[in-house]
Structure formats: structure tokens, C-alpha cells
Amino acid sequence: MSRDEDVLRQILEAQAAKVEVSPDALHSIRVRTQRRPRWFSLGAVALTAATATAAVVGAFALIPRVGGTPDPHTASTPSWSSTFSGTSTANLAIYYVGDDGGRQRLYREFHHLPMRDTSTTTKIGTAVTEMLRPESAHDPAYASAWPTGVRVTDVSVDGGTVTVNLSKAPPSTIARQELVWTVAAVVGGDPTVKLLVDGSQYATLRKAPALDTLAALWLINPQHGETVARSVAVHVAGAVFEATAHLRVRQGGVVIDEKVLTLSAGAPARGEARLTLTLAPGEYTLEAYTISAADGSVQHLDDHVVTVR
């Protein structure tokens, strides 16, 4: 062993001695390595004793874990699973598919997600990755229309056009719209979404009309599973007849409050309503719905279970 190599070994051993290993470290490592490309950082081969410490801290180059030439496509492709790490965060709108009177429609949730940076491309990659992740919806009545195992391999933005490269093609029209509306929630407006599958042009997508795509009524806030203060801010949105919706609060099998809501606009436009409820600590089910003018039945029900602390 040369003197330089011996110095480097001593530095690495000293740093390793400072590491405290968590009891669940092995499980965490296995989870991360399953989701990230098999690459690791190695310092430059030739180091002098005077620069060894600086090189260990800051000078790294990506090389394969095993011998061979890296695949240029793989090496240049972002690992979007790694967007769920870092110090940056964003509250991103994610669209899922749910049943609305026997029809598949889109529902929206907001997910507070960690990211590696706050660029638009990272936000898009993070939002779409979350949309694709199995059982990522807070509300168990919502789900992704995409099959398990679809990955985001690249994202780029050029003006009003967003290019998204996925590992698999969308299985349905509603899956395409789930992607487009999730992307549009990040960039705003009605962008053109160029969908690539494994690097090849697959389709050019735009948002379909909201009236034919989005659920008629959303209970946006509070979200399913959320723990809230006693003053509960409620946010409802939708496109409903005569801008009229209803809100019901249940605890167990008992209805403890009912309100009629007037949204800011009626169908075909989408309107909103906001109000504040005061509830005692406990678990509640909040139900937003409309009542059929024809037979008085409940329609477009969207319900969330929340805990008041």
C-alpha cells in the first residue's frame, strides 16, 4: 500500500467511526437501493496526501459499481425516486381516479413532498412519481389508473410544452388525463404534454374538458386521514347544478351537523365554497354531496375521515 493510499484509508476509517447506525438501517438501505440506480461515488484514483481530505468530502465522479462502460442513456437519466430526498419541499397537487356515480373521474389531493431542488422539472417529476406510486392516495377511494412499476425517466420543459418520458405506456384514456392534469397543476394553464415511452414519441396530450374529466364535487380540505385543530377549515369545489352542494358531519353513526353550501359558480363552471367548523376532539367523517332534483338521492359523494385533536 502506498503512503497516499494509507492516508486515504486512515481518513475514511476516522469518518466511519463517527457514524451511528440506526436499528432499522439495513431495512432503509434495502428500500433505497431497490429504488435507485446501482451507482456509487468514488473519489479520484490519484490523490496526494495534501488534498486527500478535500477530495473525500467534495471531489466525486459517478462510475459503475462493477467494471465496464456505463450506459450513456442510464447515466444521464435522473433517478426520480431520488426526488423524495433533500431539504426542499413542495405542496403538490396530485390527481387520482375515483368513482363518481359509476363513471371514472379525477379527484385531486395535495401532497407535501421532499425534493432534491425546487426547479419546475423536479416538481413535475416528483408529482408524476407520486401519482404513479401504488396506494399513494390519502383517500382509499382514490387510486392511480397506471399499472405498478411505471417509472419517470426524464422530464423537460420548453415554453408551454412539457415532455415526460415514462417506462410504460398509459393503459387507458383516464390514465392519460391523470398524467396531463397532474403536470398542468405544476406548470399552470393547459400545457402540451409530449409523452415518450422508453425515449420514443408515444402521444401528444392536452387536458380534456373538465366537465367530462373531473369529479363533479371534491372535498379538498380537510384531506382524508388528516389530524386538524378544533377549528376545521373546509374547502369544497365542483361543478354542480345551481351551485348547490351539501356538507354533512358524522361521528360514528350519528349526524352532528348538516349545512347547505352555495358555491361561487354553478355547472358547467366549477365553483368553490369555504367555511369553518368547530368540532370537539374525536374522529369524524365529513361528506360533501349533492341531492338529485329528480328523486332526492345523494349524488357525487366525496367523504373524508379526519381526527380533531
Side-chain angles (χ1 to χ4, degrees):
M1 180 181 293
S2 70
R3 181 174 180 275
D4 289 346
E5 289 172 328
D6 185 58
V7 170
L8 177 57
R9 179 184 59 78
Q10 292 176 23
I11 292 171
L12 292 174
E13 288 178 349
Q15 293 300 316
K18 299 177 182 179
V19 176
E20 295 183 3
V21 181
S22 169
D24 64 347
L26 179 58
H27 173 73
S28 300
I29 291 170
R30 285 173 173 168
V31 171
R32 290 198 300 271
T33 54
Q34 287 171 357
R35 297 186 344 193
R36 296 186 181 180
R38 296 179 63 83
W39 299 81
F40 78 112
S41 296
L42 181 67
V45 174
L47 296 173
T48 65
T51 60
T53 301
V56 170
V57 174
F60 295 92
L62 284 173
I63 68 170
R65 182 179 294 273
V66 295
T69 302
D71 181 341
H73 177 72
T74 303
S76 63
T77 299
S79 172
W80 289 106
S81 62
S82 68
T83 60
F84 296 110
S85 62
T87 57
S88 299
T89 60
N91 200 34
L92 300 174
I94 315 295
Y95 283 79
Y96 296 101
V97 179
D99 179 80
D100 185 9
R103 298 171 297 179
Q104 286 189 321
R105 292 291 186 263
L106 297 182
Y107 290 83
R108 185 181 68 188
E109 291 186 340
F110 287 92
H111 291 202
H112 194 71
L113 300 171
M115 304 184 304
R116 61 191 180 197
D117 59 63
T118 59
S119 66
T120 299
T121 55
T122 294
K123 287 180 180 179
I124 295 170
T126 302
V128 175
T129 296
E130 180 76 347
M131 178 201 79
L132 295 170
R133 188 166 62 87
E135 300 181 359
S136 61
H138 299 316
D139 191 329
Y142 308 159
S144 175
W146 293 75
T148 301
V150 183
R151 295 176 295 103
V152 181
T153 59
D154 199 10
V155 175
S156 63
V157 180
D158 184 8
T161 300
V162 178
T163 301
V164 180
N165 192 0
L166 301 180
S167 61
K168 294 182 182 179
S172 61
T173 298
I174 195 68
R176 294 182 181 203
Q177 288 302 308
E178 186 183 8
L179 171 65
V180 174
W181 282 83
T182 297
V183 170
V186 175
V187 300
D190 185 12
T192 298
V193 178
K194 287 187 176 180
L195 175 59
L196 309 184
V197 176
D198 280 336
S200 298
Q201 178 67 35
Y202 179 82
T204 299
L205 309 175
R206 299 292 293 270
K207 291 196 296 188
L211 198 62
D212 301 324
T213 309
L214 307 183
L217 194 64
W218 291 340
L219 177 55
I220 297 177
N221 192 68
Q223 297 194 119
H224 184 86
E226 191 172 1
T227 298
V228 297
R230 296 184 63 178
S231 293
V232 183
V234 179
H235 182 194
V236 175
V240 295
F241 180 66
E242 294 185 340
T244 302
H246 296 260
L247 180 70
R248 183 163 54 206
V249 182
R250 296 181 183 270
Q251 188 171 42
V254 179
V255 175
I256 63 170
D257 199 1
E258 290 185 278
K259 296 185 182 298
V260 177
L261 308 178
T262 301
L263 276 60
S264 57
R270 291 187 74 83
E272 300 184 40
R274 298 175 185 267
L275 70 154
T276 300
L277 300 174
T278 301
L279 300 173
E283 184 176 273
Y284 299 87
T285 300
L286 277 63
E287 302 172 335
Y289 62 95
T290 64
I291 295 177
S292 169
D295 59 13
S297 62
V298 171
Q299 296 182 326
H300 310 305
L301 174 69
D302 189 18
D303 60 340
H304 293 168
V305 177
V306 300
T307 300
V308 177
R309 62 175 182 270

